Amino acid sequence: MEVEVRENRLSGFEADVLVVGVPKHTEHVQNWKQIEEVFGGALADWIRSGDVPNGLKEMARVPAGSGKGFKRVLFAGLGNDKKLDADDLRNVFSAVGKELRKMKAESAAVWTESFATGDFGDADIAWAAAEGMGLGSYEFEGYKTGSNERQAEIRNVLLLSESDGESLMTAFRSGRIYADAVNEARDLVNTPGNMLTATAMADYAKELAEQYGFEIEVLGKAEMEELGMGALLAVNQGSVEEPRLIVLKYQGTDKWEDVVGLVGKGITFDTGGYSLKTKTGIVGMKGDMGGAAAVLGAMRIIGNLRPEKNVVAVIASTDNMISGSAFKPDDVITSLSGKTIEILNTDAEGRLVLADAVTYAKQSGADYLVDVATLTGGVITALGYDKTGALTNNEAFFETFLEAASETGEFVWRLPLTDRDKKRIRKSEVADLNNSPGGDGHMIFGGGFVGEFAGETPWIHLDIAGTSDASSAHDLGPKGGTGVMVRTLATLVDFMAEEGQLED
Ligand code: BES
Ligand code: ZN
Ligand code: ZN
């Protein structure tokens, strides 16, 4: 998508659609009469009658009439502009993106000034426009035969503004990079398990590495056996598909130090194993690699924007299947860390593959750890489908993380992890840990189990089981994979680069 900045006038350019923000108080837009002139005085009446609505995220399209450089005008309601915040602005542009797609527009001119009634600078608006429109216009192509109608796509965006063109275009391009990375993650989540196998995910990561010059390491079954990655191997044991441990390294400073480890659960399909899921519970389990998708998406942003920070991404990928060779309850396995684990539930497989991935991330030099996983149904019971659950062992690290989440508007809520919880994770007559301490507090036990392998390393656990796959359309996109945490993880790394080393 190409972006250009033009002077703040509603003439002298060509575009399919002119996009205009409509605040409750149009008098706050300095040059509002410019747009009134386009419609020869009718606009005020249209707003009064509600035909052009000004409520938040309400949209109206109107033909521009002949003799204009633009064919149609899309009015985007902003509500009370005094209350408009960054999340609202992103959501408005997402709705604009959806609408432009329906209008089959290929080019759009955004009248920046009409969105500038809140506390936003033009660069904020440019970023929100790119990010919002990119996220809102996402659709998964799917595999239907017969419909080869080419989808319209916005190719050119003009920002009408008097601000410095370079900084506006930089902000727009960053917003676009963020949106594209989220949309890539959404594609991964939406891809079925027969197509996105662990091997296919590793191939995807290889392409990413080539594109951005990451160092890449892909471990197969033989290497895992040699290293003693018993937890990841146990989950893979019933499958005909080989597992993959995918490691990407991005070096943003001279020395490989102060490294952030991003660890993703990449279960390409979760049957539950012998602790089999129900026939309704199993549907949708192609999305059990949402954590891996989040990490890969964040790496795409990092590769593009190149922050001064070192990052190691570790993804543990396999499916969780049943066969004569599958692992089963009562088995005792030995993880890469040396810790032994009593299996009580083969459906609690995510924490097992993460155990080895976290250990590997530490061995690769990670000084900070964030693991991301569709780990438990428990997080949905606790927080619903719109909040990511978190655990941590480090206040300062978590504070920085929350700042990043607030910047991106991704809601995260922390749950406690107490000594009593840890005791229950460590309770087993035959091993160091058990993988399913009980039906209460699932999310805490799942994340807490991963924490056993993080040890003293500053660590944040993110359970995205509720937020990774939307059951219906939402503010920033359609039903299906959401790409949650892609933007927050990338922003976290960016904030850490700005902060330098964190104090413990
Ligand atoms: N992949 C599931 C968690 C999940 C549930 C993701 C719903 C997305 C939507 C995970 O592997 C799982 O089965 N967790 C169990 C753990 C339990 C058996 C201890 C759960 O939460 O029920
Ligand atoms: Zn499971
Ligand atoms: Zn799972």
Side-chain angles (χ1 to χ4, degrees):
M1 186 194 285
E2 296 298 319
V3 58
E4 248 183 84
V5 177
R6 292 283 180 85
E7 64 180 328
N8 183 23
R9 284 206 291 126
L10 299 186
S11 57
F13 60 86
E14 301 234 323
D16 289 343
V17 180
L18 170 69
V19 182
V20 175
V22 189
K24 279 249 153 68
H25 302 280
T26 50
E27 67 273 17
H28 292 167
V29 181
Q30 227 182 4
N31 296 305
W32 187 255
K33 56 180 181 323
Q34 272 199 53
I35 186 71
E36 294 203 313
E37 278 161 16
V38 172
F39 297 101
L43 183 57
D45 284 340
W46 294 347
I47 294 177
R48 225 171 288 126
S49 66
D51 290 334
V52 169
N54 55 13
L56 187 64
K57 291 185 289 184
E58 290 179 333
M59 303 276 142
R61 10 162 145 157
V62 176
S66 57
K68 314 274 176 356
F70 43 92
K71 301 186 189 88
R72 292 190 274 180
V73 179
L74 176 62
F75 290 104
L78 299 178
N80 182 350
D81 35 307
K82 291 253 167 56
K83 288 201 185 136
L84 190 76
D85 64 21
D87 295 343
D88 294 330
L89 193 64
R90 189 186 295 111
N91 290 341
V92 167
F93 277 113
S94 169
V96 167
K98 275 182 218 174
E99 204 62 32
L100 288 175
R101 191 176 186 111
K102 281 191 226 150
M103 293 167 85
K104 299 199 187 310
E106 296 199 345
S107 59
V110 177
W111 190 26
T112 311
E113 186 189 357
S114 63
F115 292 91
T117 53
D119 285 335
F120 312 106
D122 281 5
D124 300 325
I125 294 163
W127 184 308
E131 189 174 284
M133 293 195 302
L135 294 172
S137 60
Y138 172 80
E139 263 175 33
F140 183 59
E141 266 186 38
Y143 311 94
K144 284 183 194 288
T145 55
S147 82
N148 47 15
E149 189 191 337
R150 199 179 57 83
Q151 292 282 350
E153 208 185 305
I154 300 287
R155 289 175 208 290
N156 295 297
V157 172
L158 286 178
L159 300 171
L160 308 174
S161 165
E162 294 305 320
S163 298
D164 169 55
E166 273 312 310
S167 63
L168 238 57
M169 287 195 287
T170 304
F172 187 93
R173 288 195 189 109
S174 299
R176 188 66 207 179
I177 286 164
Y178 268 64
D180 285 346
V182 172
N183 290 342
E184 284 273 338
R186 290 171 169 181
D187 276 346
L188 287 174
V189 171
N190 292 334
T191 304
N194 62 331
M195 299 185 190
L196 188 70
T197 58
T199 313
M201 184 144 28
D203 290 343
Y204 178 94
K206 275 181 205 154
E207 269 177 40
L208 195 68
E210 244 165 65
Q211 201 172 343
Y212 298 106
F214 301 140
E215 200 182 299
I216 181 163
E217 208 182 331
V218 176
L219 309 188
K221 199 169 176 172
E223 288 100 331
M224 291 177 198
E225 278 164 357
E226 206 161 297
L227 291 168
M229 249 177 219
L232 176 47
L233 282 167
V235 177
N236 176 254
Q237 222 168 277
S239 179
V240 293
E241 288 289 338
E242 273 224 14
R244 290 288 181 265
L245 188 92
I246 304 162
V247 185
L248 294 169
K249 285 183 186 162
Y250 164 77
Q251 186 159 350
T253 71
D254 292 344
K255 283 196 196 133
W256 187 248
E257 57 188 19
D258 213 25
V259 180
V260 186
L262 304 179
V263 180
K265 170 178 172 181
I267 298 293
T268 57
F269 193 81
D270 183 11
T271 68
Y274 275 98
S275 312
L276 186 61
K277 288 187 183 294
T278 62
K279 59 178 168 280
T280 48
I282 203 167
V283 177
M285 280 303 142
K286 67 174 181 182
D288 210 16
M289 32 52 69
V295 169
L296 289 168
M299 289 305 281
R300 184 177 291 280
I301 297 173
I302 289 162
N304 257 303
L305 300 180
R306 311 201 82 77
E308 288 179 18
K309 197 75 192 172
N310 301 314
V311 183
V312 60
V314 181
I315 287 161
S317 187
T318 174
D319 45 8
N320 182 21
M321 303 296 283
I322 294 182
S323 79
S325 63
F327 79 139
K328 54 201 178 296
D330 289 350
D331 282 359
V332 174
I333 61 174
T334 304
S335 65
L336 176 63
S337 72
K339 281 188 182 19
T340 55
I341 304 161
E342 180 184 9
I343 304 301
L344 297 178
N345 191 323
T346 58
D347 198 12
E349 85 299 339
R351 65 199 74 183
L352 299 174
V353 303
L354 287 171
D356 282 351
V358 159
T359 304
Y360 201 83
K362 288 213 296 188
Q363 290 178 358
S364 306
D367 301 293
Y368 302 90
L369 289 165
V370 185
D371 79 82
V372 200
T374 48
L375 205 66
T376 67
V379 75
I380 303 171
T381 310
L383 300 174
Y385 286 100
D386 57 348
K387 299 167 206 79
T388 292
L391 299 177
T392 186
N393 63 3
N394 189 291
E395 305 296 324
F397 186 28
F398 193 66
E399 207 173 295
T400 306
F401 175 81
L402 275 187
E403 281 167 27
S406 131
E407 177 89 7
T408 58
E410 298 194 305
F411 198 106
V412 179
W413 196 254
R414 178 181 173 185
L415 277 81
L417 173 61
T418 65
D419 285 343
R420 206 185 342 225
D421 298 323
K422 290 179 195 168
K423 235 189 224 157
R424 287 180 63 184
I425 294 165
R426 291 172 191 154
K427 188 166 177 274
S428 167
E429 277 167 26
V430 290
D432 300 328
L433 305 169
N434 79 81
N435 83 329
S436 184
D440 54 325
H442 265 180
M443 190 231 136
I444 293 170
F445 294 136
F449 183 94
V450 181
E452 293 291 315
F453 297 84
E456 298 298 307
T457 306
W459 157 76
I460 296 168
H461 164 69
L462 300 171
D463 194 333
I464 58 170
T467 48
S468 173
D469 208 343
S471 59
S472 56
H474 52 99
D475 277 342
L476 293 177
K479 176 178 178 334
T482 60
V484 71
M485 288 300 125
V486 167
R487 292 180 298 122
T488 300
L489 290 178
T491 304
L492 170 69
V493 170
D494 196 42
F495 282 9
M496 290 176 82
E498 280 165 23
E499 260 182 27
Q501 206 152 340
L502 286 177
E503 306 280 328
D504 287 277

